[in-house]
């Protein structure tokens, strides 16, 4: 009964309270609102030292005089933290005010790196976002750690670790220290190709830039995994296959697997080669009024029966586009249409030339060039702002910029302009180092050990100019050279080059005299057709001094003793389609040159020379490359007689199996017979180069077999009269056969040749073994 009585009194009290609340304005709901919402009369900021009160209030979402709740407080705290200015934030109600208490992030006094050797402090500071006198935030530090790790990964060190340390200083300042353990280099252990049938793994590894680790790894950085380089390698593979006729080629996948235990990468590229195609019928169809299709066929580089080559198609598009513009059709578009015959493996091409849409270039933006002047990039474009938009010419500009070797990467894109007939072109470049301090060392069987040290800059002061200063020497030689090239003289596509030099060749087993030659010159290079045909005009002046003659020297040498000034003008025509100037596998190089001496000075003669080289991959799968080379020349005295220094000297450097200056007319009057040179020469070589089977390619060894043929004959009549006992004056054919060993050594490319003369003159001086080479670092 007592419990029931207590329950009854509690029920009555509850009903009385509810009745009282129900009589209040708003009823029970008013009590809930009063518990959840409040109004701040003012917002008070505390504990801030650097940041103004108003700045803090501006980030607070709660405003004086307005109701707020827990959700508003939470939103204000998040907004304050998002500024990155504060390490801690507290928002609380005190009476009628809202109090915001903050703890400011410290200011970075100094940033330092410890343990880094492979990447410099300057390189790492360029990677991170934090800098001195900026606010220190934990989020930014963690971001910087990832940026540093990414930089080390790109340099091939995937085991690198970074530990950030914060050292507190007074006045709410701090030092930021990144403690780095770089780890060992993570190399590419193996590069494997899957699906390739027509080209071996070794041949394809020569195409790409990524290299396998080997005993040369300490000299190069291309044997580390770089995702950007691998993407570039994929493009190189595509261009290689498209150039060799495989129009259906595609890359299925490119995978790099990291073996963390061994700290190496295994790169696997899976390809589908497809079939090899040749060009079928090739035609040009023009819809331009007044432009006959037949008149444009001479600009076509693709011919029926030739192996399909995408580069020839690209160059044909460029040539036809430029020619149409020259004939007044700036908006002309050239569209190739290819018809595949899968049964006969042919691709018939039709180049359709038609009037394109009238779209203009509104603006060309150059981005990423911190060092290179903007005009150096813009001059590689054949179009400018206001010109007709043409994608073919933009692709040509992109190829030119890449060939400059100033940039690691070049991308030219376009976007819509301010009007439907306007286009904005963006050229994004990534610069790379263009200067080098280098030294070279080599060995020659005629001059012994030789070497040089040089300073070279291919993009001098960001102006696109080439400058080289070199000093060299050896047992019997001393050389000093200066070269300067301005590729765009007076803003036109005309190159200007300047040179100055001094070469000293002291007497040795080959020369019984000392020859000092000091000279200078300048010239101009003018492109005649694209980048393949070029005309060079030049002037040279040099002084030749002959001294230190032996007592029993030939009368020819005695008459040449002393100083002689030569002043000449000349020109050369150069045709070059080589795929690689340093290591060619395909293409033609041809040069015709004439020099006229007699523009003042002591010498008067006309010298004509011609040379040509032809390269072709005989068996691409084996890496077998064939080369045919030929050269010839003649020199004729005009007015004044020739001296022996005006004539040609050839030997082991041209026809192997003979010493330098080992063939041709000689004065046999004394024990040390003297080479007098000749007025005519010719030389020819047939050679095949191949990798050594069974030897790992990272050793860089390859072989060559060759046959050299040539002759040097004729002598100026005045020199003939002065010679004591003349030998080998007439045309005598020399022939030698041999083999060579080529080594891409840690000291640069070296070559040793063993050659045996099978046809020679009795007066010739032979040399069975010859070695030479050098390096650049």
């Amino acid at each position: 009964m007592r419990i029931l009585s207590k329950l009854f009194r509690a029920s009555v009290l509850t009903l009385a309270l509810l009745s009282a609340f129900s009589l209040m304005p708003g009823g029970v709901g008013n009590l809930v609102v009063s518990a959840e919402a409040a109004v701040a009369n003012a917002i008070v900021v505390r504990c801030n030292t650097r940041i103004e009160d108003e700045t803090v209030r501006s980030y607070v979402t709660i405003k004086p005089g307005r109701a707020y709740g827990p959700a508003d407080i939470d939103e204000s705290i998040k907004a304050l933290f998002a500024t990155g200015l504060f390490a801690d934030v507290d928002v609380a109600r005190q009476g009628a005010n809202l109090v915001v208490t903050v703890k400011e992030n410290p200011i970075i006094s100094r940033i330092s790196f410890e343990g880094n050797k492979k990447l410099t402090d300057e390189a790492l500071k360029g990677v991170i976002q934090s800098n001195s006198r900026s606010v220190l935030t934990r989020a930014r530090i963690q971001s910087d750690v990832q940026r540093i790790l990414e930089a080390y990964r790109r340099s091939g060190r995937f085991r690198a670790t970074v530990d950030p340390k914060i050292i507190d200083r007074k006045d709410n300042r701090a030092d930021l220290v990144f403690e780095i353990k770089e780890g060992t280099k993570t190399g590419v252990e193996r590069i494997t190709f899957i699906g390739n049938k027509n080209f071996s793994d070794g041949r394809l590894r020569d195409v790409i830039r990524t290299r396998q680790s080997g005993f040369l790894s300490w000299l190069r950085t291309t044997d580390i995994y770089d995702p950007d380089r691998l993407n570039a390698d994929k493009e190189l593979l595509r261009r290689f296959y498209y150039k060799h006729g495989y129009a259906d080629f595609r890359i299925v996948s490119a995978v790099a697997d990291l073996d963390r235990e061994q700290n190496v990468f295994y790169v696997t590229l899976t390809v589908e080669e497809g079939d090899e195609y040749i060009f079928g019928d090739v035609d040009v169809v023009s819809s331009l009024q007044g432009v006959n299709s037949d008149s444009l066929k001479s600009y076509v580089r693709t011919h029926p029966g030739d192996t399909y080559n995408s580069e020839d198609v690209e160059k044909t598009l460029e040539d036809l586009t430029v020619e149409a513009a020259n004939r007044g059709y700036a908006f002309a578009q050239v569209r190739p249409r290819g018809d595949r015959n899968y049964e006969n493996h042919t691709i018939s091409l039709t180049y359709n030339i038609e009037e394109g849409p009238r779209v203009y270039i509104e603006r060309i933006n150059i981005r990423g060039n911190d060092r290179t002047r903007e005009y150096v990039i813009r001059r590689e474009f054949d179009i400018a702002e206001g010109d007709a938009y043409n994608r073919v010419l933009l692709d040509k500009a992109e190829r030119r910029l890449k060939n400059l070797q100033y940039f690691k990467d070049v991308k030219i894109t376009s976007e819509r302009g301010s009007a439907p007939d306007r286009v904005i072109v963006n050229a994004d470049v990534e610069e790379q180092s263009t200067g080098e301090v280098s030294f070279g060392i080599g060995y020659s069987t005629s001059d012994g050990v030789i070497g040089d040290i040089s300073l070279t800059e291919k993009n001098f002061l960001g102006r696109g100019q080439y400058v080289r200063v070199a000093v060299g020497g050896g047992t019997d030689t001393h050389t000093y050279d200066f070269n300067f090239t301005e590729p765009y003289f007076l803003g036109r596509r005309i190159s200007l080059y300047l040179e100055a030099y001094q070469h000293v060749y002291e007497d040795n087993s080959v020369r019984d005299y000392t020859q000092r030659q000091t000279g200078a010159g300048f010239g101009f290079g003018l492109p005649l057709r694209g980048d393949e045909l070029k005309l060079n005009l030049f002037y040279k002046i040099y002084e030749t001094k002959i001294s230190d003659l032996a007592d029993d020297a030939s009368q020819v040498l005695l008459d040449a003793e002393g100083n002689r000034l030569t002043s000449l003008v000349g020109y050369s025509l150069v045709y070059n389609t080589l795929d690689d100037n340093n290591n060619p596998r395909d293409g033609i190089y041809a040069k015709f040159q004439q020099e006229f001496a007699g523009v003042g000075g002591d010498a008067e003669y006309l010298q004509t020379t011609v040379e040509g080289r032809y390269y072709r991959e005989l068996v691409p799968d084996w890496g077998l490359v064939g080369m045919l080379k030929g050269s010839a020349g003649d020199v004729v005295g005009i007015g004044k007689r020739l001296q022996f220094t005006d004539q040609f000297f050839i030997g082991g450097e041209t026809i192997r199996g003979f010493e330098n200056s080992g063939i041709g007319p000689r004065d046999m009057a004394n024990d040390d017979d003297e080479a007098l040179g000749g007025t005519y020469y010719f030389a020819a070589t047939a050679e095949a180069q191949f990798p050594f089977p069974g030897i790992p390619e990272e050793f860089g060894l390859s072989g060559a077999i060759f046959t050299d043929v040539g002759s040097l004959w004729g002598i100026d009549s005045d020199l003939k009269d002065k010679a004591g006992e003349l030998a080998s004056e007439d045309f005598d054919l020399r022939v030698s056969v041999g083999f060579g060993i080529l080594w891409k050594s840690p000291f640069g490319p070296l070559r040793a040749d063993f050659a045996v003369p099978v046809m020679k003159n009795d007066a010739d001086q032979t040399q069975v073994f010859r070695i030479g080479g050098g390096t650049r670092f």
Side-chain angles (χ1 to χ4, degrees):
M1 293 296 292
R2 185 175 297 174
I3 294 174
L4 291 174
S5 176
K6 290 181 178 180
L7 289 174
F8 177 75
R9 287 198 295 270
S11 300
V12 172
L13 179 61
T14 301
L15 290 173
L17 289 173
L18 289 174
S19 298
F21 282 132
S22 66
L23 296 175
M24 295 175 59
V28 177
N30 185 71
L31 178 64
V32 176
V33 173
S34 298
E36 293 185 354
V39 176
N41 293 336
I43 297 177
V44 180
V45 180
R46 292 178 179 173
C47 298
N48 55 316
T49 57
R50 300 190 315 271
I51 303 171
E52 298 291 336
D53 291 358
E54 286 303 321
T55 302
V56 177
R57 293 190 185 100
S58 66
Y59 292 106
V60 177
T61 60
I62 300 171
K63 303 302 178 184
R66 295 182 183 177
Y68 67 91
D72 299 308
I73 293 177
D74 185 60
E75 184 178 355
S76 296
I77 292 174
K78 289 179 180 179
L80 288 167
F81 271 120
T83 64
L85 300 173
F86 309 106
D88 194 15
V89 176
D90 180 68
V91 179
R93 178 181 179 185
Q94 291 187 7
N97 296 330
L98 186 70
V99 177
V100 180
T101 305
V102 297
K103 181 182 178 181
E104 296 174 337
N105 276 324
I107 296 295
I108 300 175
S109 297
R110 183 173 62 92
I111 297 177
S112 61
F113 304 90
E114 295 181 357
N116 56 308
K117 296 179 181 179
K118 300 301 180 182
L119 295 181
T120 64
D121 289 3
E122 289 72 18
L124 293 175
K125 285 180 180 179
V127 169
I128 63 176
Q129 292 181 322
S130 300
N131 53 70
S132 300
R133 296 182 297 277
S134 67
V135 177
L136 186 150
T137 66
R138 301 283 178 177
R140 185 176 296 169
I141 291 175
Q142 292 305 316
S143 175
D144 289 341
V145 167
Q146 294 304 315
R147 288 171 177 268
I148 294 173
L149 289 174
E150 180 63 25
Y152 272 100
R153 292 189 183 106
R154 290 188 177 276
S155 66
R157 297 182 182 273
F158 282 76
R159 285 188 172 179
T161 60
V162 181
D163 186 16
K165 300 291 185 182
I166 300 173
I167 302 174
D168 292 329
R169 302 297 184 190
K170 60 181 181 179
D171 299 329
N172 199 28
R173 305 180 74 85
D175 292 341
L176 178 59
V177 180
F178 292 98
E179 294 182 354
I180 300 171
K181 293 181 180 179
E182 296 181 320
T184 57
K185 181 179 176 181
T186 308
V188 176
E189 180 69 16
R190 187 170 63 248
I191 303 174
T192 305
F193 294 88
I194 298 175
N196 53 311
K197 299 177 182 178
N198 298 286
F199 298 95
S200 65
D201 285 15
R203 179 66 184 95
L204 296 181
R205 280 192 283 263
D206 285 340
V207 174
I208 63 178
R209 295 177 182 174
T210 303
R211 293 288 180 259
Q212 294 182 153
S213 297
F215 77 106
L216 296 179
S217 295
W218 59 282
L219 277 178
R220 62 192 181 196
T221 60
T222 53
D223 63 340
I224 61 175
Y225 170 67
D226 184 339
D228 293 337
R229 187 187 296 122
L230 186 60
N231 287 331
D233 288 340
K234 291 162 62 177
E235 182 61 26
L236 289 174
L237 281 174
R238 290 189 189 95
R239 296 187 68 86
F240 172 77
Y241 271 96
Y242 292 163
K243 181 179 178 180
H244 286 80
Y246 295 89
D248 295 330
F249 171 81
R250 74 185 188 96
I251 297 176
V252 178
S253 65
V255 180
D257 294 319
L258 174 62
D259 186 329
R260 296 188 179 277
E261 183 176 345
Q262 299 185 25
N263 194 37
V264 295
F265 271 100
Y266 296 91
V267 176
T268 304
L269 294 119
T270 304
V271 303
E272 287 185 5
E273 293 181 326
D275 296 320
E276 182 181 10
Y277 289 85
I278 62 174
F279 287 117
D281 296 331
V282 179
D283 195 12
V284 178
V285 176
S286 172
S287 61
L288 303 178
Q289 186 176 2
V291 178
N292 186 274
S293 299
D294 294 335
S295 66
L296 297 174
K297 289 184 178 180
S298 61
Y299 296 92
V300 176
R301 304 184 185 219
T302 54
H303 306 289
D306 290 350
T307 301
Y308 175 81
N309 188 328
S310 61
E311 290 185 3
D312 289 340
V313 176
E314 291 175 3
K315 292 178 180 179
T316 298
L317 293 179
E318 294 172 3
D319 293 345
L320 290 174
T321 300
V322 172
E323 180 59 22
N326 291 337
R327 299 190 185 189
Y329 292 91
F331 296 93
Q333 290 186 343
V334 183
R335 302 180 185 274
R337 188 185 73 242
D339 296 321
R340 280 179 171 81
N341 186 318
Y342 295 98
E343 183 177 350
N344 297 328
H345 296 149
T346 61
I347 297 179
S348 297
L349 282 177
T350 301
Y351 297 98
N352 294 301
I353 307 175
E354 56 191 20
E355 187 75 15
R358 292 185 172 272
V359 179
Y360 298 87
I361 296 178
E362 179 178 336
R363 187 170 66 253
I364 299 178
N365 297 321
I366 309 296
R367 303 183 299 204
N369 56 316
D370 297 327
R371 181 170 176 269
T372 305
R373 308 293 179 93
E374 187 169 305
Y375 69 83
V376 173
I377 299 174
R378 287 185 177 274
R379 67 192 185 188
E380 298 301 329
F381 289 78
D382 286 335
I383 50 180
E385 283 94 342
D387 289 348
Y389 173 79
N390 193 299
R391 185 66 234 184
V392 171
L393 297 183
L394 291 180
D395 292 339
K396 183 178 182 180
E398 183 173 311
R399 189 181 74 249
R400 281 177 174 172
L401 288 170
K402 289 180 178 178
N403 291 338
L404 291 177
Q405 298 182 351
Y406 301 165
F407 311 106
K408 182 184 295 184
D409 190 27
V410 178
K411 292 181 180 178
I412 297 180
T413 58
S414 57
E415 61 185 49
R416 185 171 181 176
S418 59
D421 63 343
R422 297 290 186 269
V423 171
I424 296 175
V425 175
N426 298 315
D428 294 289
V429 299
E430 182 181 352
E431 294 186 312
Q432 64 181 2
S433 176
T434 57
E436 66 175 12
V437 178
S438 61
F439 69 89
I441 186 170
Y443 177 78
S444 169
T445 50
S446 60
D447 292 317
V449 178
I450 55 177
D452 67 60
I453 183 170
S454 65
L455 174 64
T456 304
E457 174 54 64
K458 293 182 290 188
N459 188 13
F460 183 63
L461 299 178
R463 300 175 183 271
Q465 299 164 336
Y466 174 90
V467 178
R468 180 176 182 267
V469 180
V471 178
T475 307
D476 306 313
T477 62
H478 308 282
T479 60
Y480 310 90
D481 292 272
F482 170 79
N483 301 93
F484 172 85
T485 301
E486 167 55 68
Y488 279 79
F489 183 59
L490 299 178
R492 298 184 177 274
R493 197 175 290 276
I494 299 174
S495 61
L496 165 69
Y497 76 86
L498 308 171
E499 65 174 351
Y501 62 90
Q502 184 179 82
H503 299 162
V504 180
Y505 305 96
E506 297 178 353
D507 61 312
N508 58 13
S509 59
V510 178
R511 297 178 296 271
D512 287 335
Y513 56 89
T514 296
Q515 179 175 324
R516 178 191 301 268
Q517 192 172 91
T518 305
F522 67 90
F524 301 94
L526 296 82
L528 297 183
R529 181 179 178 182
D531 301 323
E532 297 177 351
L533 185 61
K534 187 176 183 180
L535 171 65
N536 297 310
L537 306 173
F538 56 86
Y539 170 78
K540 297 180 182 179
I541 183 170
Y542 58 88
E543 183 183 65
T544 304
K545 181 180 180 180
I546 303 296
S547 61
D548 299 333
L549 274 66
D551 295 336
D552 58 348
S554 167
Q555 187 62 42
V556 174
L557 270 65
L558 291 173
D559 287 350
E561 186 175 16
N563 298 334
R564 188 167 189 255
L565 184 67
T566 301
S567 175
L568 63 86
V569 294
Y571 72 93
S572 65
L573 282 169
V574 178
Y575 178 73
N576 187 355
T577 64
L578 298 181
D579 58 345
D580 186 337
N581 289 328
N582 296 321
N583 186 28
R585 292 176 177 270
D586 184 75
I588 297 174
Y589 176 88
K591 181 179 180 181
F592 177 83
Q593 178 169 301
Q594 284 191 312
E595 297 179 355
F596 171 71
V599 189
D602 303 316
E604 292 184 3
Y605 61 80
L606 176 64
Q607 182 187 95
T608 304
T609 57
V610 61
E611 66 172 301
R613 286 175 282 148
Y614 173 67
Y615 296 86
R616 183 179 179 85
E617 286 190 292
L618 302 178
V619 185
D621 187 28
W622 294 354
L624 179 62
V625 179
M627 185 266 289
L628 296 175
K629 179 174 67 174
S631 61
D634 98 290
V635 59
V636 179
I638 301 175
K640 298 181 180 179
R641 310 307 302 174
L642 294 174
Q643 283 198 1
F644 83 100
T645 53
D646 301 329
Q647 303 195 130
F648 299 109
F649 291 82
I650 64 173
E653 75 285 353
T654 306
I655 306 175
R656 285 158 287 192
F658 299 87
E659 287 191 359
N660 282 1
S661 305
I663 70 172
R666 311 185 77 84
D667 189 346
M668 312 291 290
N670 51 38
D671 294 335
D672 295 326
D673 55 309
E674 298 290 348
L676 302 180
T679 54
Y680 307 99
Y681 85 92
F682 95 94
T685 295
E687 179 173 294
Q689 295 184 9
F690 52 89
F692 280 123
I695 297 180
E697 59 192 74
E698 60 263 23
F699 282 86
L701 284 173
S702 58
I705 55 174
F706 58 83
T707 298
D708 291 340
V709 180
S711 184
L712 175 67
W713 73 99
I715 187 171
D716 184 81
S717 59
D718 187 49
L719 298 177
K720 182 177 180 179
D721 295 338
K722 294 176 181 178
E725 183 181 343
L726 189 63
S728 188
E729 174 194 1
D730 299 326
F731 177 89
D732 288 322
L733 190 65
R734 279 83 167 178
V735 180
S736 66
V737 296
F739 69 92
I741 299 175
L742 294 79
W743 182 30
K744 296 177 182 178
S745 75
F747 309 103
L750 297 175
R751 175 163 181 158
D753 287 315
F754 301 84
V756 177
V758 295
M759 292 183 65
K760 66 183 184 69
N761 187 281
D762 293 337
D764 293 341
Q765 296 182 356
T766 61
Q767 182 185 77
V768 175
F769 174 71
R770 185 178 184 86
I771 185 172
T775 190
R776 284 290 182 274
F777 296 94

